[in-house]
Amino acid sequence: MSAAALAGAARYQRALDLTLLVLFVAALWQLFFVIGGTTALASPWEAAKNAYAILNTASFWGNAKVTLLAFAIAVAIEIVAGIAIGIFLGLRKMAGDVLEPMLAGLYSIPKLMFFPIVT
């Protein structure tokens, strides 16, 4: 079997796996909807109709644009600040030695905890 045929078969298998996964999740969602009812969960069909209706509004795309712009600005600030702090801590051994344990301690804090502070 040639390399192109193997690549095509692998691509087909991935597409099949993805399709089966989507169908399984939709079936599981429908099952939970049947068990819980409308007070707990919307049906997959109703959720898809609502999503389609929301995606067809101008306000959604305006809000999405503002959100993506804010995200892009935040990423740019993080990149610049991260590189600057990294260079500073790399050049100043004592500052790096002092601040490294504090920065490492921040990794143990769940990021979800900061969302109420930000919003």
Side-chain angles (χ1 to χ4, degrees):
M1 199 174 237
S2 70
L6 285 174
R11 207 169 339 176
Y12 173 77
Q13 185 63 42
R14 279 193 301 267
L16 180 64
D17 290 345
L18 181 61
T19 303
L20 291 174
L21 177 66
V22 168
L23 290 175
F24 175 75
V25 169
L28 195 61
W29 185 354
Q30 182 65 32
L31 176 68
F32 288 151
F33 169 71
V34 169
I35 293 170
T38 57
T39 57
L41 189 65
S43 74
W45 178 248
E46 287 297 319
K49 283 188 343 187
N50 288 339
Y52 181 76
I54 290 170
L55 289 173
N56 282 327
T57 62
S59 64
F60 172 80
W61 294 109
N63 292 333
K65 180 181 173 185
V66 170
T67 300
L68 289 175
L69 179 64
F71 179 74
I73 291 170
V75 168
I77 291 170
E78 290 171 0
I79 289 171
V80 170
I83 290 173
I85 292 170
I87 289 172
F88 174 74
L89 293 178
L91 292 176
R92 306 283 182 181
K93 180 151 176 51
M94 184 176 169
D97 290 343
V98 169
L99 292 177
E100 183 183 2
M102 290 181 242
L103 291 173
L106 288 175
Y107 290 127
S108 65
I109 299 173
K111 305 305 179 258
L112 191 63
M113 185 189 92
F114 294 114
F115 286 155
I117 297 169
V118 174
T119 57

